[in-house]
Each structure stands twice: as structure tokens, then as C-alpha cells.
Amino acid sequence: MKGSLCIAALLAATSVQAQAPLERGKYLVEGILTCGNCHTPRGEKGVLDTAQRHAGGPQVWETDEYKVRPSNITPDNATGIGSRTNEQVKAAIRDGKGAKGEQLSPQMPYAYYKIFTPSDLDAVVAYTMSLAPVSRKVDPPVYKVKNMVVDIPPGAEKPMPASAMKDPVKKGFYLATIGHCMECHTPLVSGHRDFKGALGTGGEKFPGPWGVSVSRNITQHKESGIGAWSDAEIKRAITQGVRKDGSRLKPPMGYHFYAKMTDGDLDAIVAYVRTVPAKE
């Protein structure tokens, strides 16, 4: 089994290298990154309005540090990112820096994007800047403090070497990180993600048109987590939103985005999740 995972990882790495930047960027943006989950308006019952894809989301996030809405990330010059350079867009994604160098709200998960390989980051920017411009004004952010808390997952502080993609677990960690899985599945303690003490234990509530969903425990705990789930059951939950018992997951779990992932990438994520220590 281990040997087959290694072969799959090598083939997937070769496939990534063969992809053109726009193709790779589309695969990431419309898949594992779930950019549209926040940056696309929603219609009735929270259904994404694909006619205005990436033109800014409807939700409002307010904390003691900020009040923000998901911005328009189409290349519209007036209401989107069309007037920015590629380097400015990269800085926003990777470093959380606005067009004037200001710190962006960490609601934008740039803490999880520092791990981006240079080629993947270039691909994401290339694809985003190739989108059809959509004119849609979004309320500007309100920042209540100068320096906002940013929690970077351990091991994700710098770009992942391309050579690491040959290891299924490391590749899975990379994908789960840029997919900011642990942002939802790790609880906040005293205003910080408790990566050290409660990685993957879930419990965060997400209210929306779907009601209130709660992120589940994705550690290897046999009862509280997914330690008793088969690989196929984990992949079904990721791509179809169906639990081990057959019940349905609620949004904002982005399973319809994850359904676009390759089998090799899904196998790598499962390989990584299998290493997350069991905790209640």
C-alpha cells in the first residue's frame, strides 16, 4: 500500500509539472483553495451565484479586531483587483498585504498560504487575473486595531520545496494547509488557533443559510474522530459531504470544490490526516 501511494505521488508530481500555469491555477482556485466559497455571492438558501463568481461574498465577519466582507477578486479595475500588479496580488495572498502595504484581515487565510510553492502561487495569480472582470462593489474593511493576530500552522512558515511533493504525507500536509482545513477544524483558545494542543479536534460553529454547522473532529481518535473510518469513507466525506453513517454534511464544508481534486491528491490528504494524533 505504501509503495502504491509513493508511485501515485510521483505520477501526480509529474502531472503538476506538466500542467500549464493557467490550468494549474484553475485547478487550485476552483478546487482545494475553495476561493469561491467566500468570494462568490450566494443566492437563495446559500447557493453560490456562479454568474458573479469571485465578485465578493455576502457574509460579514466581525471580531474585536475587524469587520470585513469577502472582496471582489476579479480583475475589474474599479471594484476588483484589476489595477494591481501580479506582485501585489502575490503579496496579498502570501503575506496578507493590501495594495498600500496594510495588513489584511486574517479572515483571508494568508497564514496558510506562506507554504505555497512559487510555481503554484504564480499559477493562482495567473488564473485569478485571467478571470472575466465583474463590476461589483463590496463594502471596504473596517480595522479596529493596527496589528491583527495571525496564527501560522507549524511547518507552514515558508514555501514547501517541490521535492517534498514526492512524499505522500508531506504533499498531503501541503494540500491540507493551502486548503486551510485546520483553520476550521482546530478550535480557538484565548484568540489563537490551538495547533499544539487541539489540532484537528473541531468544534467551531458556522452559522449561515444552512443553519448552524459544527466542524468535526478529524483526528485519528476512534470514537470522536475519523480513526475508524476507511480511506474511502474519508474521501467520500471530503468530495461528497457524506459521513461514515451516511448522513449529510452542511456547508460551508466545500465538498463540491474538493470533488474536483485528483485521486492522487485525495490519497495524499488521507495519508496526512492519518498522521494527525488522536484526541477527543
Coordinates of all heavy atoms in Angstrom, one line a residue, residues 196-233:
K196 N -1.1 23.3 18.8 CA -0.3 22.5 19.6 C -1.1 21.5 20.5 O -0.8 20.3 20.6 CB 0.6 23.3 20.6 CG 1.6 22.5 21.4 CD 2.5 23.3 22.2 CE 3.5 22.5 23.0 NZ 4.4 23.3 23.8
G197 N -2.2 22.0 21.0 CA -3.0 21.2 22.0 C -4.2 20.5 21.4 O -4.8 19.6 22.0
A198 N -4.8 21.1 20.3 CA -6.1 20.6 19.8 C -6.2 20.5 18.3 O -7.3 20.7 17.8 CB -7.2 21.5 20.4
L199 N -5.1 20.3 17.7 CA -5.1 20.2 16.2 C -6.1 19.2 15.7 O -6.1 18.0 16.1 CB -3.7 19.8 15.7 CG -3.5 19.7 14.2 CD1 -3.5 21.0 13.5 CD2 -2.2 18.9 13.8
G200 N -7.0 19.7 14.8 CA -8.0 18.8 14.2 C -9.1 18.4 15.0 O -9.9 17.5 14.5
T201 N -9.3 18.9 16.2 CA -10.4 18.4 17.1 C -11.7 19.0 16.8 O -12.7 18.6 17.4 CB -10.0 18.6 18.6 OG1 -9.8 20.0 18.8 CG2 -8.8 17.8 19.0
G202 N -11.8 20.1 15.9 CA -13.1 20.6 15.5 C -13.8 21.4 16.6 O -13.2 21.9 17.6
G203 N -15.1 21.5 16.4 CA -16.0 22.2 17.4 C -16.4 23.6 17.1 O -17.2 24.2 17.8
E204 N -15.8 24.2 16.0 CA -16.2 25.6 15.7 C -17.5 25.6 15.0 O -17.8 24.8 14.2 CB -15.1 26.2 14.9 CG -15.4 27.7 14.6 CD -14.1 28.5 14.2 OE1 -13.0 27.9 14.2 OE2 -14.3 29.7 13.8
K205 N -18.4 26.6 15.4 CA -19.7 26.7 14.8 C -19.7 27.7 13.6 O -19.0 28.7 13.7 CB -20.7 27.2 15.9 CG -20.9 26.2 17.0 CD -21.8 26.8 18.1 CE -22.1 25.8 19.2 NZ -23.0 26.3 20.2
F206 N -20.5 27.3 12.6 CA -20.6 28.1 11.4 C -22.0 28.4 11.0 O -22.7 27.6 10.4 CB -19.9 27.4 10.2 CG -18.4 27.3 10.4 CD1 -17.9 26.1 11.0 CD2 -17.5 28.3 10.0 CE1 -16.5 26.0 11.3 CE2 -16.1 28.1 10.3 CZ -15.6 27.0 10.9
P207 N -22.6 29.5 11.5 CA -24.0 29.8 11.1 C -24.1 30.3 9.7 O -23.2 30.9 9.2 CB -24.3 30.9 12.1 CG -23.0 31.6 12.5 CD -22.0 30.5 12.4
G208 N -25.2 30.1 9.1 CA -25.5 30.5 7.7 C -26.8 30.2 7.3 O -27.7 29.7 8.1
P209 N -27.1 30.3 6.0 CA -28.5 29.9 5.4 C -28.8 28.5 5.7 O -29.9 28.1 5.6 CB -28.3 30.3 3.9 CG -27.2 31.2 3.8 CD -26.3 30.9 4.9
W210 N -27.8 27.7 5.9 CA -27.9 26.2 6.1 C -28.2 25.9 7.6 O -28.4 24.7 7.9 CB -26.6 25.5 5.7 CG -25.4 26.2 6.3 CD1 -24.9 26.1 7.6 CD2 -24.6 27.1 5.7 NE1 -23.8 26.9 7.8 CE2 -23.6 27.5 6.6 CE3 -24.5 27.7 4.4 CZ2 -22.6 28.5 6.3 CZ3 -23.5 28.6 4.1 CH2 -22.6 29.0 5.0
G211 N -28.3 26.9 8.4 CA -28.5 26.7 9.8 C -27.2 26.9 10.6 O -26.5 27.9 10.3
V212 N -26.8 26.0 11.4 CA -25.5 26.1 12.1 C -24.8 24.7 11.9 O -25.4 23.7 12.3 CB -25.7 26.4 13.6 CG1 -24.3 26.4 14.3 CG2 -26.3 27.7 13.8
S213 N -23.6 24.8 11.3 CA -22.9 23.5 11.2 C -21.7 23.7 12.2 O -21.2 24.8 12.5 CB -22.4 23.3 9.8 OG -21.6 24.4 9.3
V214 N -21.2 22.5 12.6 CA -20.1 22.4 13.5 C -19.0 21.6 12.9 O -19.2 20.5 12.5 CB -20.5 21.8 14.9 CG1 -19.4 21.8 15.9 CG2 -21.7 22.6 15.5
S215 N -17.8 22.1 12.9 CA -16.7 21.4 12.3 C -16.4 20.2 13.2 O -16.4 20.2 14.4 CB -15.4 22.2 12.2 OG -15.0 22.7 13.5
R216 N -16.2 19.0 12.6 CA -16.0 17.8 13.3 C -14.5 17.5 13.6 O -13.6 18.2 13.1 CB -16.6 16.6 12.6 CG -15.9 16.1 11.3 CD -16.2 14.7 11.0 NE -15.8 13.8 12.0 CZ -16.6 13.0 12.7 NH1 -17.9 12.9 12.5 NH2 -16.1 12.2 13.7
N217 N -14.3 16.6 14.5 CA -13.0 16.1 14.9 C -12.5 15.3 13.7 O -13.1 14.3 13.3 CB -13.1 15.3 16.2 CG -11.8 14.8 16.7 OD1 -10.9 14.4 16.0 ND2 -11.7 14.7 18.0
I218 N -11.3 15.7 13.2 CA -10.7 14.9 12.1 C -9.4 14.3 12.5 O -8.5 13.9 11.6 CB -10.5 15.7 10.8 CG1 -9.7 17.0 11.0 CG2 -11.9 16.1 10.2 CD1 -9.3 17.7 9.8
T219 N -9.2 14.1 13.8 CA -8.0 13.4 14.3 C -8.3 11.9 14.1 O -9.4 11.4 13.8 CB -7.7 13.7 15.8 OG1 -8.7 13.0 16.6 CG2 -7.8 15.2 16.0
Q220 N -7.3 11.1 14.5 CA -7.4 9.6 14.4 C -8.1 9.0 15.6 O -8.0 7.8 15.8 CB -6.0 9.0 14.2 CG -5.5 9.3 12.8 CD -6.4 8.7 11.7 OE1 -6.5 7.5 11.6 NE2 -7.1 9.6 10.9
H221 N -8.8 9.8 16.4 CA -9.5 9.2 17.6 C -10.6 8.3 17.0 O -11.3 8.6 16.1 CB -10.1 10.3 18.4 CG -10.6 9.9 19.7 ND1 -11.8 9.2 19.9 CD2 -10.0 10.0 21.0 CE1 -11.9 8.9 21.2 NE2 -10.8 9.4 21.9
K222 N -10.7 7.1 17.6 CA -11.6 6.0 17.0 C -13.0 6.4 17.2 O -13.9 6.1 16.4 CB -11.3 4.7 17.7 CG -9.9 4.1 17.4 CD -9.8 3.6 16.0 CE -8.5 2.9 15.7 NZ -8.3 2.4 14.3
E223 N -13.4 7.0 18.3 CA -14.8 7.4 18.6 C -15.1 8.8 18.2 O -16.1 9.1 17.5 CB -15.1 7.2 20.1 CG -15.2 5.7 20.5 CD -13.8 5.1 20.8 OE1 -12.9 5.9 21.2 OE2 -13.6 3.9 20.5
S224 N -14.3 9.8 18.7 CA -14.6 11.2 18.5 C -14.2 11.6 17.1 O -14.8 12.6 16.5 CB -14.0 12.0 19.5 OG -14.4 11.7 20.8
G225 N -13.2 11.0 16.5 CA -12.6 11.4 15.3 C -13.0 10.5 14.1 O -14.0 9.9 14.1
I226 N -12.0 10.4 13.2 CA -12.2 9.6 12.0 C -11.3 8.4 11.9 O -11.0 7.8 10.9 CB -12.1 10.4 10.7 CG1 -10.8 11.1 10.6 CG2 -13.3 11.4 10.7 CD1 -10.6 11.9 9.3
G227 N -10.7 8.0 13.1 CA -9.8 6.9 13.1 C -10.4 5.6 12.7 O -9.6 4.7 12.2
A228 N -11.7 5.4 12.9 CA -12.3 4.2 12.5 C -12.9 4.2 11.1 O -13.5 3.2 10.6 CB -13.5 3.9 13.5
W229 N -12.7 5.3 10.4 CA -13.2 5.4 9.0 C -12.2 4.8 8.1 O -11.0 4.9 8.3 CB -13.4 6.9 8.7 CG -14.5 7.7 9.4 CD1 -14.9 7.4 10.7 CD2 -15.2 8.8 8.9 NE1 -15.9 8.4 11.0 CE2 -16.1 9.2 10.0 CE3 -15.2 9.5 7.7 CZ2 -17.0 10.3 9.8 CZ3 -16.1 10.6 7.6 CH2 -17.0 10.9 8.6
S230 N -12.7 4.2 7.0 CA -11.9 3.7 5.9 C -11.4 4.9 5.1 O -12.0 6.0 5.1 CB -12.6 2.7 5.0 OG -13.6 3.4 4.3
D231 N -10.4 4.7 4.3 CA -9.9 5.7 3.3 C -11.0 6.2 2.4 O -11.2 7.4 2.1 CB -8.7 5.2 2.5 CG -7.4 5.0 3.3 OD1 -7.5 5.3 4.6 OD2 -6.4 4.6 2.7
A232 N -11.8 5.2 1.9 CA -12.9 5.5 1.0 C -13.9 6.4 1.7 O -14.5 7.3 1.1 CB -13.5 4.2 0.5
E233 N -14.2 6.1 3.0 CA -15.2 6.9 3.7 C -14.7 8.3 3.9 O -15.5 9.3 3.9 CB -15.5 6.2 5.0 CG -16.4 5.0 4.9 CD -16.5 4.1 6.1 OE1 -15.6 4.3 7.0 OE2 -17.4 3.4 6.2

